[in-house]
Amino acid sequence: MSEFVVIVLVHLSGWALLRALGLRDWGAVPLGFIAGVFGVIVLTFAFVVAGADTTPSSVLTALALVGGVALVLQRRVLDAAAYLTVAATSVGLVGAVVVLREAHVVSYHIDSFRYLMSATLLASNTFGEFATANLLTKRMLVTPAMHSLAHAYGEHYVRSLTPLLAIACLGALTYVLVTYHSRAATRRPVAIAWLAGVLAAALLLSINRYVFHAVYINAHLTVGAALLMTAAGGLLLVGQRLTRHERPAVTVLVALSLAVTIVGRPEGFLFAGIALLPIVLAREVTLRERALLTIVYGASMLGWHGYVWLTLGSRATLESIGPAVLGALVLLAAPLHTLPGLTTARRVLLTVVFLALTVTFSGFSVLRFDPLQRSLVATYQNVVAGAGGWGLSLLMLAPLAVVAGTVALRREPSADVVWYPLASSPLLFFLLVFLREGAFRVGDGDSLNRMLIQVVPLAVLLVGIGIGATRTPGLADAAEGSFKGEADA
């Protein structure tokens, strides 16, 4: 086996899955690659928790089985365009792998070697036996699962996987914005929709830390991609920009994204929850979709953190016990989605949760102001004074996102699916100050400085919504009948 085979298999499996679930336009190409990568992670997660074989051959066989079944299920609707898409993307991916392998550009940190240690344990099917508390609670599963595949051809990490994921995110961002704007109730010109999508992708690509993370052996970009797919998928679902046949594909992609976020970073369960909340409280999302996403969120927390808790035994800390208990509570509360007044109280519930975060943060700030103060000073040095390597990108992006978000919320209420997790992220980031061993520090290797890339794509998505959210008098409103109201079916 080679890296070429691995990459093509990952993409084709994800593409076939989304296409079988109803997504059959060009968006299935970038979203399919993301779904394939997330599929590798979720399958590895399931195998670890179940005590099954985690070697690359087992994971890739399971992934190929998923893709193969998906192809068989849609064999009657595969047309010449589908076969041409498979051929073109496969050739393109092979060419990209050649270029990326020859370039051999990689960024790493001491943590990267710990990730690769976990990848080796997965590849040798000894993760459950030898994974340490640090590997289980800090490094977790996303990056090890991705790079364990390299052991299938005698290497230690897949050189092209993260760069291709970063490229796929640019394509997915463009697709989501084009779809969102071109299918608005007051249909906007296709040129405006494409302008919003292309400008947003160009803006994200122009951020030097995004390029850095595209070749960085760490989980931040993958978690950022998962948060982006959660919010972007929620945007299309809540905004009712999808046909009835397309909704299952996007719902499943959001479900995969939630699981990836939870097993990707210690704070992942918090960010996944805050991104999920405005989606599952929306009346435009069907009861079945809400139930599925809630169950996946709860089961992923209980599954991973419960596994860590049982593995560590008496050495387990609140870092694992808390999310495991929360996951169980979420599963028990899943039937509450049947309450008729839940979606009606959406705005109130979102406000209450945000205020609860604010009060919690304020309380900790009073009790432990010193680490917060040092963290704020370090963050200023990293973001504003240049110590974190961001240049002017965040200083320009932040006000741009605020302005675009204000415009978007006035004209597109569904944009709060993106705005809510983005606005909540500073509270979540700085709450971590009180839960970690020390304050954030100055330098591009600081945890918060690296974690910021996880929410930067959300800010760019919000900018793209604002760019396209223009009223265009005189254009037909006929699109509303095609895409509105189908969520209630």
Side-chain angles (χ1 to χ4, degrees):
M1 187 174 292
S2 67
E3 186 167 338
F4 305 104
V5 175
V6 168
I7 293 297
V8 171
L9 175 60
V10 166
H11 174 259
L12 289 182
S13 298
W15 174 83
L17 175 64
L18 294 188
R19 199 175 190 282
L21 291 170
L23 191 65
R24 293 176 182 166
D25 57 7
W26 70 272
V29 174
L31 293 178
F33 187 84
I34 296 170
V37 174
F38 289 1
V40 168
I41 296 166
V42 171
L43 285 170
T44 304
F45 168 30
F47 289 175
V48 166
V49 172
D53 186 7
T54 58
T55 58
S57 58
S58 294
V59 174
L60 290 172
T61 298
L63 187 69
L65 184 61
V66 171
V69 170
L71 285 174
V72 169
L73 291 176
Q74 58 177 317
R75 63 187 183 278
R76 294 182 179 178
V77 295
L78 288 173
D79 52 16
Y83 290 114
L84 182 61
T85 298
V86 169
T89 54
S90 297
V91 171
L93 285 171
V94 169
V97 172
V98 170
V99 172
L100 291 168
R101 285 185 62 82
E102 289 300 317
H104 202 177
V105 179
V106 61
S107 300
Y108 59 90
H109 178 265
I110 188 172
D111 292 345
S112 303
F113 296 101
R114 295 191 179 101
Y115 283 113
L116 296 182
M117 184 185 301
S118 286
T120 301
L121 294 178
L122 288 172
S124 60
N125 196 33
T126 56
F127 185 81
E129 185 177 357
F130 294 113
T132 63
N134 178 274
L135 296 181
L136 289 168
T137 61
K138 305 297 184 186
R139 308 286 74 86
M140 302 180 73
L141 211 56
V142 158
T143 303
M146 292 167 61
H147 291 297
S148 69
L149 302 181
H151 289 262
Y153 49 89
E155 296 184 6
H156 293 283
Y157 67 97
V158 187
R159 298 185 195 180
S160 62
L161 190 55
T162 311
L164 287 172
L165 179 63
I167 294 170
C169 283
L170 298 176
L173 181 65
T174 303
Y175 172 75
V176 168
L177 287 170
V178 169
T179 301
Y180 186 76
H181 290 306
S182 64
R183 296 182 179 181
T186 304
R187 185 176 292 179
R188 290 150 198 160
V190 174
I192 294 295
W194 275 97
L195 179 66
V198 171
L199 286 180
L203 175 60
L204 185 56
L205 184 60
S206 73
I207 297 174
N208 69 319
R209 290 284 96 181
Y210 185 78
V211 178
F212 170 84
H213 280 274
V215 294
Y216 184 29
I217 300 177
N218 210 302
H220 298 296
L221 183 81
T222 309
V223 171
L227 283 172
L228 174 63
M229 290 300 98
T230 301
L235 181 71
L236 296 179
L237 291 170
V238 176
Q240 295 181 278
R241 298 316 204 261
L242 301 166
T243 67
R244 177 172 55 86
H245 301 290
E246 293 171 330
R247 290 180 73 90
V250 174
T251 303
V252 167
L253 182 58
V254 172
L256 291 172
S257 302
L258 291 170
V260 168
T261 305
I262 289 166
V263 301
R265 291 283 305 171
E267 72 281 358
F269 75 99
L270 294 173
F271 280 87
I274 214 70
L276 176 63
L277 196 61
I279 300 173
V280 296
L281 290 177
R283 64 177 178 80
E284 294 85 358
V285 180
T286 68
L287 178 60
R288 182 179 299 179
E289 292 164 347
R290 282 182 270 151
L292 172 65
L293 295 177
T294 302
I295 290 170
V296 168
Y297 175 64
S300 297
M301 275 196 294
L302 179 59
W304 173 251
H305 291 285
Y307 169 81
V308 174
W309 183 2
L310 290 174
T311 302
L312 297 180
S314 60
R315 295 176 294 148
T317 64
L318 187 63
E319 189 175 8
S320 301
I321 298 172
V325 172
L326 180 59
L329 293 175
V330 168
L331 289 175
L332 291 173
L336 293 178
H337 283 304
T338 59
L339 294 177
L342 195 64
T343 56
T344 305
R346 179 176 184 267
R347 187 178 297 274
V348 173
L349 292 173
L350 291 177
T351 303
V352 167
V353 171
F354 188 83
L355 289 176
L357 285 175
T358 304
V359 170
T360 304
F361 172 75
S362 301
F364 275 116
S365 300
V366 172
L367 294 174
R368 297 185 59 194
F369 181 69
D370 180 64
L372 176 63
Q373 182 183 35
R374 288 186 284 125
S375 295
L376 290 171
V377 171
T379 303
Y380 174 85
Q381 292 294 323
N382 289 336
V383 173
V384 179
W390 287 93
L392 298 175
S393 56
L394 289 186
L395 295 179
M396 298 176 65
L397 179 60
L400 191 60
V402 171
V403 173
T406 303
V407 172
L409 286 173
R410 290 183 62 186
R411 298 178 176 178
E412 296 287 356
S414 56
D416 69 350
V417 172
V418 182
W419 176 260
Y420 190 74
L422 185 61
S424 303
S425 61
L427 290 171
L428 294 178
F429 280 137
F430 285 104
L431 270 174
L432 298 177
V433 172
F434 311 112
L435 303 176
R436 52 185 268 133
E437 297 170 357
F440 295 123
R441 63 188 190 278
V442 178
D444 60 1
D446 169 62
S447 295
L448 177 58
N449 192 67
R450 289 181 283 121
M451 283 190 287
L452 288 173
I453 199 63
Q454 296 169 194
V455 297
V456 162
L458 295 182
V460 174
L461 175 59
L462 193 61
V463 171
I465 298 171
I467 291 173
T470 55
R471 297 296 185 194
T472 312
L475 292 176
D477 294 342
E480 184 170 9
S482 299
F483 303 103
K484 294 273 186 183
E486 293 189 358
D488 299 323

